[in-house]
Amino acid sequence: MKFTKMHGCGNDYIYVDASREHVPQEQKPEIVRRLSDRHFGIGGDGVIFIHPSREADFEMEMYNMDGSRAEMCGNGIRCVAKFVYDKHLTDKTSISVASCGKVKYLELVVEEGEVSTVKVNMGSPILKAADIPVISSKEEVIGDEIEVNGQTYSMTCVSMGNPHGVVFLEDIDSLALEEIGPCFENHQRFPKRVNTEFVKVIDEETIQMRVWERGTGETLACGTGACAAVVASVLNGLAKEQATVKLAGGNLQVNWDRKENLVYMAGPAVTVFEGEIALP
């Protein structure tokens, strides 16, 4: 099977042109786990299969490192755009990509014949607790208390196509994320588990973020998480609608257009290497 390793701000995935490479559906979770292994496989935060689509220009079928299916990935979808343009599967610089039945619209910035950065219309943030989903007696979870490992945190929940819990802290650098991350991910209040963003507000136009992604662990970046973090920062009166999100792997630019209620995210997409691997 031919593949391409790509990353967006260090959030790395293995990309496969599913129109040319056939992988049996029932085998995908195990194959994803094998390919994602950083010691015995290619290594990555997961695998994204790129398909033709009837409802959009392309479709992305995304899997986390543990083989579980994910609804959306902001960094991943930017790399999908670079993949299809750089490999001449399209010559358009405005494309649409479907994932789990939802269509996103992307604007590609091309330099010297290759995509360098991509701006994505990530759609409207979902704030209704039942639709995120998060168990709550309130319709929206904004600055709500959650107890994890005997400690109480203030949490704001947002879905950007996948569920996010955003927690604001004064210090995130020394946070024992390997310990606390799984406790949030598998907390009983999240029926479908949750991605958790630990955010430090630097100023009203800049936030710093670490993220624990469900099914993967700590990643160097999370595009949907960055969008959720900015929305949560605005809802809590901590930042402006347009902000830079500083992640371990680089920066993302996020703008929540309150008038249209749409979130836009822009950032890089990078090809690391290409190869071919034998499947069982």
Side-chain angles (χ1 to χ4, degrees):
M1 183 186 75
K2 293 182 178 179
F3 68 88
T4 301
K5 173 76 175 289
M6 309 178 77
H7 79 84
C9 291
N11 193 195
D12 58 338
Y13 289 89
I14 300 153
Y15 293 79
V16 177
D17 182 351
S19 67
R20 297 171 183 250
E21 307 291 340
H22 176 68
V23 179
Q25 196 68 30
E26 67 277 5
Q27 295 180 19
K28 282 182 178 176
E30 177 57 34
I31 288 173
V32 166
R33 288 190 288 270
R34 176 188 165 191
L35 297 182
S36 300
D37 191 289
R38 297 188 184 276
H39 298 287
F40 298 101
I42 299 165
D45 290 329
V47 179
I48 294 177
F49 298 92
I50 302 172
H51 300 267
S53 174
R54 292 183 179 180
E55 57 184 341
D57 293 313
F58 299 93
E59 179 183 1
M60 61 181 271
E61 180 187 0
M62 177 195 168
Y63 291 85
N64 297 314
M65 182 188 291
D66 68 353
S68 60
R69 185 76 189 273
E71 301 93 340
M72 175 50 57
C73 174
N75 292 310
I77 200 171
R78 294 201 316 276
C79 290
V80 168
K82 179 175 176 62
F83 184 103
V84 298
Y85 185 90
D86 289 3
K87 291 188 172 296
H88 310 293
L89 301 180
T90 184
D91 59 0
K92 299 193 297 183
T93 55
S94 297
I95 67 169
S96 57
V97 178
S99 181
C100 286
K102 302 293 179 64
V103 178
K104 305 298 183 188
Y105 299 91
L106 303 87
E107 298 293 329
L108 288 57
V109 177
V110 178
E111 297 179 359
E112 299 182 357
E114 295 185 347
V115 171
S116 59
T117 59
V118 180
K119 180 180 180 181
V120 188
N121 178 347
M122 295 294 291
S124 300
I126 297 168
L127 301 178
K128 188 175 179 180
D131 295 337
I132 291 174
V134 54
I135 296 171
S136 176
S137 59
K138 302 175 183 177
E139 186 172 355
E140 297 180 351
V141 178
I142 301 174
D144 197 16
E145 289 188 349
I146 182 171
E147 185 174 326
V148 180
N149 277 6
Q151 185 170 344
T152 301
Y153 298 86
S154 177
M155 177 184 68
T156 297
C157 292
V158 180
S159 172
M160 293 302 308
N162 51 357
H164 294 272
V166 181
V167 176
F168 295 98
L169 299 171
E170 290 295 322
D171 175 24
I172 63 173
D173 293 324
S174 63
L175 186 67
L177 201 50
E178 289 288 339
E179 295 178 14
I180 195 67
C183 299
F184 272 93
E185 176 184 352
N186 299 291
H187 196 280
Q188 61 186 3
R189 290 187 62 183
F190 302 105
K192 295 185 177 181
R193 298 187 292 170
V194 72
N195 303 282
T196 312
E197 287 72 41
F198 300 90
V199 175
K200 176 182 178 180
V201 178
I202 297 174
D203 57 48
E204 60 183 6
E205 295 180 345
T206 314
I207 65 175
Q208 181 187 359
M209 183 182 100
R210 290 178 68 187
V211 57
W212 182 271
E213 291 199 55
R214 59 177 181 167
T216 300
E218 182 174 12
T219 57
L220 297 181
C222 177
T224 53
C227 295
V230 170
V231 170
S233 297
V234 173
L235 292 174
N236 285 277
L238 300 173
K240 291 184 177 180
E241 287 83 355
Q242 186 164 339
T244 298
V245 183
K246 301 174 73 67
L247 303 129
N251 296 345
L252 292 173
Q253 306 299 322
V254 176
N255 177 30
W256 183 17
D257 186 328
R258 299 290 294 276
K259 184 176 180 180
E260 295 184 358
N261 194 28
L262 296 173
V263 179
Y264 296 90
M265 174 200 60
V270 179
T271 297
V272 183
F273 63 86
E274 297 184 328
E276 189 168 356
I277 189 169
L279 296 180

